[in-house]
Amino acid sequence: MASRGPLSRLLRSTLSSCQQNRSHSVAILGAPFSKGQKRRGVEHGPKAIRDAGLVERLSNFDYPVHDFGDLTFKHLEKDEHFMRVPFPRTVGRANQLLSGAVSSAVGAGHTCIMLGGDHSLAIGSVEGHAQQCPDLCLIWVDAHADINTPLTSPSGNLHGQSVAFLLKDLQNKMPEVPGFSWIKPFLSARDLVYIGLRDVDPGEHIILKTLGIQYFSMRDIDRMGIQRVMEVTLDHLLARKQRPIHLSFDIDAFDPSLAPATGTPVNGGLTYREGIYVTEEIHNTGLLSVMDVVEVNPTLGATPEAVEATSSLAVDVIASALGQTREGAHVAFPKIPEPKEDTELRI
């Protein structure tokens, strides 16, 4: 069952405290935003994912699905660089808006699916989630660590700095970036796990090592296998206590042969089976609360087939995280149907 409604209805919802047992309803939020990086087109990601059949796929599930449409972002005409960072105020303002929308969705009892847009949007998505669930943990599935600071980033692009805004451990390493005075770091390094890394900048590498952040590169996945990676991930995050999971999934975590329509593809990524296994295992915890799916850029597909493949992969990942299995239909029968006594054999 799916419904579409204005985002204003969600934002008017009464907020409640975060509940570990999420109600069986899903809120879809579109975030058509691209200013966290320099390649245009990623703002069309939400439409591409919807056009690939997201709402129709989720309609087959046995719980309500509410598509609240897209947020509307304003781009400031005057937004000077900060150091090497482009559009800092525009990105900060967009994330503040997204934070409120995600907070409202989670507070209303929904599992929230945020469709990006570039990965800078995770700043607002995770922060809004934390307003309702301050004890959340974060699983970041990505080819990149996105943990640069403005002082370490080679490009200055904020989609490569998202995690640095969230971590308390980096609070004294982050300059005051214009547009972000509204956010205070809230996440501890021990509450974060990376999966799929294979393109880490030098500054990011020293941050990961210094803070002792748990991460699994593609080499680790090759060595350990994805089953063991997920066992260690979930034990690391949930052994102390069961708590809400925020899954931030960059489509470039997959190999470019599977997800070509994205801005920063890196060879040697996750296979289809590995990526789906990650989301299946997260679903099996029963603790998924918010999921970001970002960096689908339909303008970068060399052919319509490449765009369709990338967008359809995003739909598969979302459906798997919400309970679709590879064992067959996910809609449960209460029992095996039996023929009625008056059933006649018809030839």
Side-chain angles (χ1 to χ4, degrees), residues 234-251:
L234 297 175
D235 182 68
H236 177 82
L237 295 174
L238 303 176
R240 297 189 300 275
K241 65 175 179 177
Q242 302 290 287
R243 54 198 176 136
I245 294 173
H246 189 115
L247 172 60
S248 202
F249 203 118
D250 190 320
I251 204 69

Side-chain angles (χ1 to χ4, degrees), residues 10 33 44 67 107 112 122 175 183 187 196 224 250 267:
L10 174 63
F33 185 79
H44 302 301
D67 185 352
C112 181
I183 186 171
L187 192 71
M224 299 169 61
D250 190 320
N267 286 331

Side-chain angles (χ1 to χ4, degrees), residues 47-331:
K47 182 179 187 302
I49 296 171
R50 287 189 179 98
D51 288 348
L54 175 64
V55 175
E56 292 77 12
R57 178 82 66 86
L58 300 187
S59 296
N60 295 323
F61 287 43
D62 55 355
Y63 47 77
V65 177
H66 308 279
D67 185 352
F68 289 102
D70 289 345
L71 291 164
T72 300
F73 300 107
K74 294 181 180 179
H75 301 285
L76 302 176
E77 291 185 9
K78 190 175 181 180
D79 191 1
E80 297 89 353
H81 278 56
F82 172 77
M83 302 175 62
R84 290 188 299 275
V85 176
F87 311 114
R89 298 160 191 84
T90 298
V91 176
R93 188 173 183 174
N95 274 285
Q96 187 173 14
L97 178 63
L98 177 60
S99 173
V102 171
S103 178
S104 294
V106 175
H110 302 299
T111 299
C112 181
I113 306 297
M114 189 278 285
L115 308 178
D118 71 63
H119 216 165
S120 70
L121 293 162
I123 299 170
S125 181
V126 182
E127 200 277 340
H129 189 184
Q131 288 181 28
Q132 299 295 327
C133 308
D135 61 339
L136 66 79
C137 57
L138 176 60
I139 299 176
W140 195 276
V141 184
D142 200 329
H144 311 89
D146 296 346
I147 200 170
N148 273 303
T149 74
L151 301 173
T152 67
S153 172
S155 69
N157 292 333
L158 284 169
H159 76 157
Q161 303 179 46
S162 308
V163 179
F165 284 89
L166 309 177
L167 288 181
K168 292 185 291 185
D169 311 70
L170 287 177
Q171 190 165 5
N172 64 344
K173 308 295 184 184
M174 285 288 289
E176 294 183 4
V177 181
F180 289 89
S181 60
W182 58 275
I183 186 171
K184 305 302 178 188
F186 54 87
L187 192 71
S188 296
R190 66 177 180 272
D191 299 325
L192 165 66
V193 175
Y194 286 100
I195 297 172
L197 296 183
R198 58 191 185 278
D199 186 11
V200 178
D201 292 326
E204 294 179 309
H205 187 262
I206 191 64
I207 290 171
L208 293 174
K209 293 297 185 181
T210 301
L211 300 186
I213 294 172
Q214 178 72 71
Y215 69 87
F216 298 97
S217 66
M218 287 308 303
R219 174 177 168 79
D220 296 321
I221 293 172
D222 288 342
R223 179 172 56 86
M224 299 169 61
I226 197 65
Q227 178 182 0
R228 181 60 181 156
V229 165
M230 290 310 298
E231 288 175 355
V232 176
T233 294
L234 297 175
D235 182 68
H236 177 82
L237 295 174
L238 303 176
R240 297 189 300 275
K241 65 175 179 177
Q242 302 290 287
R243 54 198 176 136
I245 294 173
H246 189 115
L247 172 60
S248 202
F249 203 118
D250 190 320
I251 204 69
D252 74 19
F254 283 103
D255 191 79
S257 62
L258 299 171
T262 190
T264 50
V266 185
N267 286 331
L270 295 174
T271 66
Y272 181 89
R273 289 163 64 183
E274 288 168 339
I276 295 299
Y277 188 84
V278 169
T279 49
E280 286 175 337
E281 288 300 288
I282 291 171
H283 169 75
N284 288 341
T285 67
L287 296 170
L288 179 64
S289 183
V290 176
M291 180 180 186
D292 312 321
V293 179
V294 298
E295 299 287 356
V296 173
N297 189 332
T299 67
L300 296 180
T303 65
E305 290 76 18
V307 175
E308 182 179 359
T310 308
S311 304
S312 296
L313 182 58
V315 173
D316 288 350
V317 165
I318 295 167
S320 175
L322 294 175
Q324 178 176 289
T325 74
R326 289 178 284 174
E327 298 170 356
H330 58 274
V331 178

